[in-house]
Amino acid sequence: MRFKRGVAVTAIALTSVLSVVGCAKDTGSSNNSSGSDSSAQGCKTVDKPAAATSETTSTEAGASVDGSALNVGLAFDIGGRGDASFNDSAAAGLDKAIAEIGVKKENTKELSASDQESEDQKLTRLRQLAQEGRNPIVAVGFAYSDAAAKVAAEFPNQQFAVVDGFVENAPTNLKFLGFAENEGSFLVGVIAALKSKSCTIGFVGGVNVPLIQKFQAGFLQGVKTVAPDAKVVSKYITEAGDLTGFADPPKGEVAAKGLIDQGADVVYHAAGASGKGVFAAAKKANVEAIGVDSDQYNQKTVAEYKDVIISSMLKRVDVAVFDYISLAASNNLAALPPVFDLKVDGVGYSTSGGKIDANVQEWVDAYKQQIIEGKIKVDTEPSS
């Protein structure tokens, strides 16, 4: 698997309020009035950073765009529409294009990948969309990179994009929609450090590939920035080459249970549809979880676990897909950002469910602004 794009382009003193919401205390903080031992109360934290003073800017490109003439093709990754994660976020981008810029639903086509499929199957799927005259065609997931490059070369008059993809010397009609997953994961790492009482925090990755290592790297850095002594335990469901790690909830549950058995009381997953199993393990153990890609608290397919979902790392695939379709409609694909990062609202975090109070949001948003301003550079590879 070749994924270079995301790598290449790709805190304020704690107050006693935190003891009320069960968050971390910093016995070394000059503004902590309790002075009590925090070992059983949460992570010992650094001082809270200065409050954020500015906001991100949106990349959305739908104003005055007419998409009624488009015939959009969408090739999903494993799990397809309904995975409550990555694919659903892409689907939301297409749905928004239908609702806001006039793309006709009857002129769209969606196809899904299957478990352990061959490269020829990916090629066949993309060629089918191209031969039907779909334009533009969006493929969801890095596994489509090589196939998209080949098919784009065969159909030079049609536009293609791959979410998370990258290949060297790609045809000019192929765009790659990359994200700063490490930046968004840093933010939910801050949340995990503030919310954990055991100060042992877990990460479940779907497949051990560089893309998912970016999630792990940012998360680990976010936790450690707030709580340097925190323990982060990690587990990948499958190794590189076996993409079933993104679509196996039972294995996701086993992986998360293993981390919970090690003391983790907040678990973050970057495991696609396997995240449903992570939530199941968290609910059974009465611990908390952090979702990924879309706002999973509001996803119907994981609604039975919403009470344990405290936040989600928002990888705004919906924003990228909507922007790409909009720019294709206006023949302005050169305006695509090189990476969908915090600056352009390409990644972020959710607060649905009310478990992230204003104080925690102040921590997170302060760090967010530091990343946007370049004061913090977020890792793309796990430091340990």
Side-chain angles (χ1 to χ4, degrees):
M1 196 282 296
R2 292 179 292 174
F3 185 88
K4 297 182 181 179
R5 178 188 178 92
V7 175
V9 296
T10 346
I12 318 174
L14 267 172
T15 69
S16 58
V17 174
L18 288 176
S19 63
V20 176
V21 296
C23 298
K25 296 179 182 178
D26 178 5
T27 57
S29 170
S30 61
N31 289 332
N32 176 25
S33 60
S34 70
S36 61
D37 181 6
S38 65
S39 60
Q41 301 297 320
C43 297
K44 183 177 180 179
T45 70
V46 299
D47 288 348
K48 191 176 180 181
T53 57
S54 60
E55 300 178 354
T56 58
T57 58
S58 173
T59 66
E60 293 186 0
S64 303
V65 173
D66 180 9
S68 61
L70 297 181
N71 293 288
V72 182
L74 187 57
F76 287 119
D77 202 350
I78 296 171
R81 185 188 280 263
D83 73 341
S85 187
F86 190 63
N87 290 299
D88 270 357
S89 188
L94 175 57
D95 293 346
K96 184 173 182 178
I98 292 170
E100 296 190 8
I101 64 169
V103 172
K104 297 178 180 178
K105 185 175 178 60
E106 61 270 25
N107 290 342
T108 67
K109 181 71 169 285
E110 298 178 8
L111 298 174
S112 294
S114 58
D115 292 352
Q116 302 284 26
E117 69 176 17
S118 68
E119 187 70 10
D120 282 345
Q121 288 174 287
K122 294 180 179 64
L123 285 165
T124 298
R125 184 176 303 114
L126 295 179
R127 285 194 182 113
Q128 176 185 339
L129 292 171
Q131 289 167 352
E132 291 177 354
R134 305 295 169 184
N135 185 27
I137 295 168
V138 181
V140 186
F142 63 82
Y144 280 105
S145 297
D146 290 336
K150 292 179 181 178
V151 177
E154 296 170 6
F155 296 86
N157 296 321
Q158 289 160 251
Q159 297 296 326
F160 297 77
V162 181
V163 177
D164 287 338
F166 184 83
V167 292
E168 299 282 1
N169 302 314
T172 57
N173 61 327
L174 173 58
K175 302 296 183 182
F176 298 110
L177 310 181
F179 299 80
E181 300 92 350
N182 52 327
E183 293 184 358
S185 295
F186 183 105
L187 302 186
V188 295
V190 173
I191 292 172
L194 294 173
K195 297 291 286 185
S196 176
K197 297 178 180 67
S198 68
C199 210
T200 298
I201 296 160
F203 170 81
V204 175
V207 181
N208 192 1
V209 291
L211 172 60
I212 307 305
Q213 290 167 10
K214 285 178 64 184
F215 291 82
Q216 181 186 12
F219 183 66
L220 176 61
Q221 187 179 354
V223 170
K224 292 288 189 175
T225 296
V226 173
D229 297 330
K231 179 180 180 181
V232 181
V233 290
S234 303
K235 176 68 177 179
Y236 281 91
I237 298 172
T238 60
E239 292 300 312
D242 182 358
L243 299 183
T244 63
F246 292 129
D248 198 328
K251 288 185 179 179
E253 183 171 354
V254 170
K257 184 179 184 302
L259 303 183
I260 294 167
D261 288 347
Q262 295 179 58
D265 65 346
V266 180
V267 181
Y268 170 48
H269 87 86
S274 298
K276 186 173 183 178
V278 175
F279 298 148
K283 185 165 185 174
K284 288 178 181 178
N286 195 29
V287 301
E288 297 179 311
I290 297 173
V292 76
D293 295 334
S294 56
D295 185 351
Q296 297 203 279
Y297 180 89
N298 289 319
Q299 287 287 341
K300 293 181 180 179
T301 58
V302 292
E304 62 188 299
Y305 307 117
K306 65 190 303 181
D307 55 320
V308 303
I309 303 174
I310 60 173
S311 183
S312 295
M313 194 287 280
L314 302 178
K315 178 173 177 177
R316 301 298 305 275
V317 177
D318 57 330
V319 169
V321 171
F322 174 75
D323 283 2
Y324 175 75
I325 294 172
S326 297
L327 291 169
S330 58
N331 196 30
N332 190 27
L333 288 173
L336 276 172
V339 63
F340 287 85
D341 57 12
L342 286 176
K343 291 181 181 178
V344 297
D345 197 32
V347 292
Y349 72 101
S350 67
T351 60
S352 298
K355 295 190 177 184
I356 306 300
D357 67 12
N359 184 67
V360 173
Q361 288 187 58
E362 288 172 0
W363 277 78
V364 180
D365 291 342
Y367 279 124
K368 175 181 176 179
Q369 191 59 35
Q370 288 186 28
I371 295 170
I372 290 172
E373 294 174 356
K375 295 176 181 178
I376 294 177
K377 180 176 177 59
V378 184
D379 296 336
T380 57
E381 296 179 357
S383 59
S384 61

